[in-house]
């Protein structure tokens, strides 16, 4: 009668140990930005967020690089070509009905005003980005500065 | 000689069957010639054929609207680069044979050489499309059927003005629609 009970005990112990090992990556039911998915699981990816073709976007603080209010699929900005400037440069803006780049873009880091766009401003997407149709993941109490707040 | 004469008399004699055979032979022969000719044309229109010499371009195009889009309608190399008009097509093919010569000269067979020559080649394509008022684009995109109310405001603004009054054509504004651009310094409307 002694041997089977020993066997059962061993079985129970090893199952417990195994279960504990399985639990290693568990979040204990705690929800995070990735939901309640345990760490060891790969959850299906969210759908890609879409960029609206056109949208009106207001600035939130003074000197904010304005957001891009339109789609920029496949627009090339490289050593060879700058698609943004083909509409927004001072030369082309009027004809294309686009906003001119700001005068600040002609100033280099020594504050000297140049005859053409400053190289440090060339890669537009370092500061200007389109806004995808995505809700913030974390609650945010940010308020516009007074001067930009709409009545 | 005798045989031909016999054949000829047979043709001249008003036998319906013989006339039928001749007509059929002529028809079949024509069909075969047409088929073989067109097959050659079709084979040289595929992307695989172009990729033999333009591999970097064929890779690049996969990110663009004419390769992958919501409606699944594609433009392949030959849609933009070989005129659809049958006669133009032949003229273009004959012209293209000179590319073979350049191929063996190796004008674009390394990335560096291609980069170097790309502006020149693009310039030639722009000139061609400018001269034919972007015929290849218009084979698919017909101005008369553009619904400006469905287009973005930027599109509608320029399509209803500079495009509508013929001042500009598609490639004036849509350079690089299917490819990475070459060095654009000095190109009109660019930096």
């Amino acid at each position: 009668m002694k041997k089977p009970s020993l066997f059962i005990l061993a079985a129970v112990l090893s199952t417990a140990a195994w279960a504990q090992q399985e639990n290693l990556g568990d979040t204990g039911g705690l929800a995070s930005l990735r939901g309640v998915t345990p760490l060891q699981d790969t959850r299906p990816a969210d759908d890609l967020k879409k960029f609206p073709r056109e949208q009106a976007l207001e600035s939130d603080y003074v000197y904010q690089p304005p957001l891009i209010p339109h789609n920029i699929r496949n627009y090339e900005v490289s050593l060879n070509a700058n698609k943004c400037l083909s509409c927004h440069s001072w030369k082309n803006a009027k004809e294309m009905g686009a906003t001119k780049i700001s005068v600040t873009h002609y100033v280099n880091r020594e504050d000297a005003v140049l005859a053409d766009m400053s190289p440090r401003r060339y890669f537009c997407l370092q500061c200007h980005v389109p806004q995808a149709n995505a809700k913030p993941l974390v609650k945010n109490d940010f308020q516009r500065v007074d001067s930009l707040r709409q009545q | 000689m005798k045989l031909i004469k016999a054949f000829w008399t047979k043709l001249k004699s008003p036998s319906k069957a013989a006339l039928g055979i001749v007509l059929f032979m002529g028809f079949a022969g024509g069909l075969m010639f047409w088929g073989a000719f067109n097959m050659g044309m079709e084979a040289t229109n595929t992307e695989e054929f172009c990729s033999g010499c333009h591999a970097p371009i064929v890779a690049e195009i996969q990110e663009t609207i004419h390769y992958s889009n919501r409606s699944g309608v594609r433009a392949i190399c030959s849609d933009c680069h070989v005129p659809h008009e049958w006669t133009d097509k032949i003229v273009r093919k004959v012209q293209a044979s000179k590319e073979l010569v350049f191929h063996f000269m190796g004008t674009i067979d390394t990335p560096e050489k291609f980069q170097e020559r790309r502006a020149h080649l693009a310039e030639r394509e722009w000139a061609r499309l400018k001269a034919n008022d972007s015929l290849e684009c218009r084979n698919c995109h017909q101005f008369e059927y553009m619904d400006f109310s469905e287009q973005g405001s930027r599109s509608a603004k320029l399509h209803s003005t500079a495009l509508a009054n013929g001042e500009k054509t598609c490639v004036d504004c849509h350079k690089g629609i299917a490819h990475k651009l070459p060095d654009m310094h000095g190109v009109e409307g660019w930096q």
Side-chain angles (χ1 to χ4, degrees), chain A residues 1-8:
Chain A
M1 219 52 249
K2 214 166 188 185
K3 271 196 179 139
S5 59
L6 238 170
F7 179 74
I8 288 168

Side-chain angles (χ1 to χ4, degrees), chain A residues 13-127:
Chain A
L13 278 178
S14 65
T15 319
W18 180 75
Q20 205 173 7
Q21 208 165 24
E22 267 299 275
N23 270 343
L24 271 182
D26 203 340
T27 56
L30 206 65
S32 68
L33 288 183
R34 67 202 292 272
V36 284
T37 319
L39 288 179
Q40 71 270 27
D41 290 348
T42 306
R43 153 182 97 87
D46 291 329
D47 289 342
L48 289 177
K49 302 285 189 297
K50 281 212 174 149
F51 293 102
R53 189 160 64 178
E54 272 165 355
Q55 58 185 333
L57 292 161
E58 305 291 332
S59 285
D60 289 318
Y61 55 93
V62 183
Y63 266 112
Q64 176 189 343
L67 292 161
I68 302 175
H70 56 75
N71 197 332
I72 53 165
R73 176 180 175 167
N74 220 40
Y75 283 9
E76 184 170 348
V77 179
S78 68
L79 185 62
N80 276 343
N82 188 320
K83 173 90 175 169
C84 311
L85 289 179
S86 76
C87 289
H88 292 286
S89 74
W90 285 25
K91 225 188 301 178
N92 301 327
K94 188 144 185 246
E95 193 183 346
M96 301 308 266
T99 318
K100 278 196 296 194
I101 53 174
S102 130
V103 279
T104 56
H105 296 54
Y106 288 77
V107 177
N108 72 5
R109 64 175 174 185
E110 274 87 41
D111 274 344
V113 178
L114 309 178
D116 205 345
M117 188 183 206
S118 170
R120 64 175 180 161
R121 301 283 189 162
Y122 183 81
F123 291 101
C124 317
L125 296 170
Q126 280 183 310
C127 296

Side-chain angles (χ1 to χ4, degrees), chain B residues 81-94:
Chain B
H81 289 298
V82 183
H84 279 193
E85 219 69 60
W86 191 74
T87 45
D88 284 359
K89 211 166 173 173
I90 294 175
V91 171
R92 176 75 185 119
K93 286 275 144 125
V94 173

Side-chain angles (χ1 to χ4, degrees), chain B residues 56-181:
Chain B
I57 286 213
V58 176
E60 254 170 45
I61 209 164
Q62 304 189 352
E63 296 164 19
T64 70
I65 187 99
H66 291 101
Y67 186 90
S68 131
N69 57 53
R70 69 207 156 111
S71 45
V73 182
R74 278 211 53 199
I76 59 170
C77 316
S78 48
D79 289 327
C80 291
H81 289 298
V82 183
H84 279 193
E85 219 69 60
W86 191 74
T87 45
D88 284 359
K89 211 166 173 173
I90 294 175
V91 171
R92 176 75 185 119
K93 286 275 144 125
V94 173
Q95 275 178 354
S97 314
K98 89 168 187 278
E99 283 175 18
L100 274 169
V101 178
F102 282 108
H103 175 60
F104 292 116
M105 281 164 57
T107 49
I108 56 166
D109 58 357
T110 68
E112 292 77 20
K113 281 196 214 164
F114 179 47
Q115 242 345 296
E116 191 76 7
R117 200 158 167 81
R118 191 164 195 171
H120 175 70
L121 301 179
E123 209 72 64
R124 277 212 300 239
E125 276 309 291
W126 292 326
R128 185 179 64 80
L129 285 161
K130 180 86 180 153
N132 71 9
D133 196 14
S134 307
L135 173 67
E136 282 79 16
C137 313
R138 290 175 195 267
N139 279 333
C140 293
H141 297 273
Q142 297 189 42
F143 175 75
E144 298 84 80
Y145 301 100
M146 278 187 180
D147 180 349
F148 294 149
S149 68
E150 281 294 320
Q151 294 191 347
S153 64
R154 294 180 301 152
S155 323
K157 181 147 70 184
L158 288 163
H159 290 163
S160 64
T161 52
L163 176 62
N165 64 25
E167 198 182 297
K168 296 231 164 126
T169 186
C170 315
V171 279
D172 286 329
C173 300
H174 290 291
K175 293 191 170 66
I177 185 67
H179 307 298
K180 292 240 163 65
L181 285 162

